[in-house]
Amino acid sequence: MLLIGFYGLKNLIYNVNFAIFNLVPIPPLDGSKILSSLLPGRLAYKYQSSVINRYSFFILIALVFTGILGFIIHPISNFIISILNLIISIII
């Protein structure tokens, strides 16, 4: 039973991290589509046709390998996991 709880917690952490990573507003990720849908028409067009769109893959690789993306994802992930932990502790 303890082993299932450990792997369940690891699975939760991975899923929260992947969800936050997917919401980063760099074009191949879903966060860019959300951002462009929230921007007014002219700004959305400029954002979609910007330099970021052309070099987004290289920007993502640079963010991952330099660790900058970790500084963005980990505080948000820790906050979400602490809220989920609080909810689970109230239920149990």
Side-chain angles (χ1 to χ4, degrees):
M1 186 68 168
L2 182 63
L3 191 63
I4 293 172
F6 174 73
Y7 286 115
L9 179 63
K10 285 289 186 184
N11 192 14
L12 174 75
I13 292 170
Y14 288 139
N15 282 319
V16 167
N17 285 334
F18 287 137
I20 296 167
F21 175 76
N22 199 23
L23 291 176
V24 172
I26 296 178
L29 303 175
D30 289 338
S32 67
K33 294 169 186 67
I34 293 171
L35 180 64
S36 65
S37 69
L38 293 175
L39 289 173
R42 288 179 52 195
L43 285 176
Y45 178 74
K46 284 183 181 181
Y47 176 71
Q48 290 172 351
S49 62
S50 67
V51 175
I52 289 177
N53 204 5
R54 273 184 246 138
Y55 299 109
S56 62
F57 182 71
F58 299 112
I59 293 169
L60 274 175
I61 289 176
L63 288 175
V64 168
F65 284 118
T66 58
I68 295 172
L69 197 60
F71 287 118
I72 298 168
I73 290 178
H74 287 297
I76 300 169
S77 173
N78 289 337
F79 177 71
I80 292 173
I81 290 171
S82 65
I83 289 175
L84 291 174
N85 191 15
L86 179 67
I87 292 170
I88 291 171
S89 67
I90 291 172
I91 292 172
I92 296 177

